[in-house]
C-alpha cells in the first residue's frame, strides 16, 4: 500500500498564523484613536436627545450648549428628534460605546474575535446613519432637511466613512495576522 498525498486544503484563514504586533499594523493606530474619540463624542452628543434634554436654546451648561451650537443651524432632526431618532441616538449613546471600548482593546491586544462584531457594527452604522439619517436630512420632509449641508457632513460623515474603513479592515477572519 502506497501513501497518497493529502488533498490540498481550501484557501482560508490560517488559524495558526501569528498575529502581527501592533507596531506592524500601523493603520490600527488610526482606528484606536478614532474609536477612542467616538466613545466620548457619542456619549456626550447623543445622550441629550435620547434622554429628552432640551437644547433648542443656548445654555450655560457646556453639553447642552455644544449640542445647541451644532444643531441650531444644521440638524433639525437631531434638535427635535422623533421617537425613532431617539432610538438611533440611544444606540449611539449607550450601546456603541461598549463596542468602541471592546474594539480599542481588541486592536491593542490583537483579539481576532472582534472581526465579526466589527462587521455587524459597520454594516449597521452605515445602514442607519448613511441611509436613514442622511436620507432624511437631505431628501426627507422639509422640516428635517439640513439647512447647512457642509457643517452636517463635516460632523456626521466620519461616522459613516470610518465604519466602512473598519469593515474593509475586518473583511476576512483573523484580521490581526495581516497589516490591513
Amino acid at each position: 500500500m502506497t501513501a497518497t498525498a493529502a488533498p490540498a486544503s481550501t484557501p482560508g484563514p490560517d488559524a495558526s498564523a501569528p498575529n502581527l504586533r501592533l507596531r506592524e499594523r500601523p493603520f490600527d493606530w488610526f482606528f484606536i484613536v478614532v474609536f477612542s474619540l467616538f466613545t466620548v463624542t457619542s456619549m456626550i452628543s447623543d445622550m441629550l436627545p435620547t434622554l429628552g434634554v432640551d437644547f433648542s436654546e443656548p445654555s450655560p451648561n457646556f453639553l447642552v450648549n455644544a449640542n445647541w451650537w451644532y444643531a441650531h443651524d444644521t440638524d433639525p432632526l437631531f434638535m427635535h428628534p422623533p421617537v425613532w431618532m431617539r432610538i438611533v441616538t440611544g444606540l449611539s449613546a449607550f450601546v456603541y460605546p461598549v463596542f468602541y471600548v471592546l474594539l480599542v482593546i481588541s486592536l491593542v491586544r490583537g483579539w481576532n474575535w472582534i472581526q465579526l462584531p466589527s462587521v455587524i457594527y459597520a454594516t449597521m452604522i452605515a445602514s442607519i446613519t448613511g441611509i436613514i439619517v442622511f436620507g432624511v436630512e437631505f431628501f426627507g420632509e422639509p422640516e428635517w432637511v439640513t439647512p447647512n449641508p457642509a457643517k452636517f457632513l463635516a460632523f456626521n460623515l466620519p461616522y459613516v466613512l470610518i465604519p466602512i474603513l473598519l469593515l474593509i479592515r475586518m473583511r476576512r477572519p483573523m484580521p490581526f495576522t495581516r497589516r490591513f
Side-chain angles (χ1 to χ4, degrees):
M1 177 170 225
T2 60
T4 58
S9 62
T10 58
D14 182 3
S16 65
N19 284 351
L20 299 176
R21 293 184 186 146
L22 182 57
R23 70 174 170 247
E24 297 171 293
R25 300 179 277 118
F27 200 76
D28 286 350
W29 278 106
F30 168 77
F31 288 123
I32 290 168
V33 170
V34 168
F35 283 100
S36 295
L37 291 171
F38 279 9
T39 302
V40 175
T41 60
S42 66
M43 287 190 300
I44 289 174
S45 66
D46 289 333
M47 185 180 0
L48 297 181
T50 300
L51 298 175
V53 174
D54 180 20
F55 53 90
S56 60
E57 298 293 328
S59 170
N61 179 298
F62 173 78
L63 296 178
V64 172
N65 202 50
N67 276 12
W68 173 83
W69 176 85
Y70 159 71
H72 82 280
D73 66 346
T74 305
D75 199 337
L77 179 64
F78 183 74
M79 183 169 278
H80 303 289
V83 172
W84 69 266
M85 184 62 179
R86 288 179 65 187
I87 293 168
V88 170
T89 59
L91 286 170
S92 182
F94 299 108
V95 176
Y96 296 160
V98 174
F99 169 74
Y100 297 155
V101 169
L102 288 173
L103 176 64
V104 168
I105 294 168
S106 295
L107 288 161
V108 170
R109 304 285 309 259
W111 291 342
N112 285 301
W113 65 264
I114 200 67
Q115 185 259 344
L116 180 59
S118 296
V119 169
I120 293 168
Y121 158 79
T123 304
M124 197 167 105
I125 199 77
S127 299
I128 290 173
T129 305
I131 297 169
I132 298 172
V133 176
F134 280 32
V136 170
E137 295 273 0
F138 285 95
F139 308 108
E141 293 83 3
E143 69 267 21
W144 302 127
V145 172
T146 179
N148 192 341
K151 185 176 174 185
F152 178 85
L153 290 172
F155 277 85
N156 292 285
L157 201 54
Y159 289 94
V160 175
L161 295 181
I162 292 169
I164 290 171
L165 283 176
L166 180 66
L167 181 62
I168 295 167
R169 170 71 177 98
M170 299 291 178
R171 68 195 176 277
R172 294 188 316 246
M174 305 300 288
F176 303 119
T177 61
R178 60 183 185 278
R179 293 176 61 86
F180 186 80

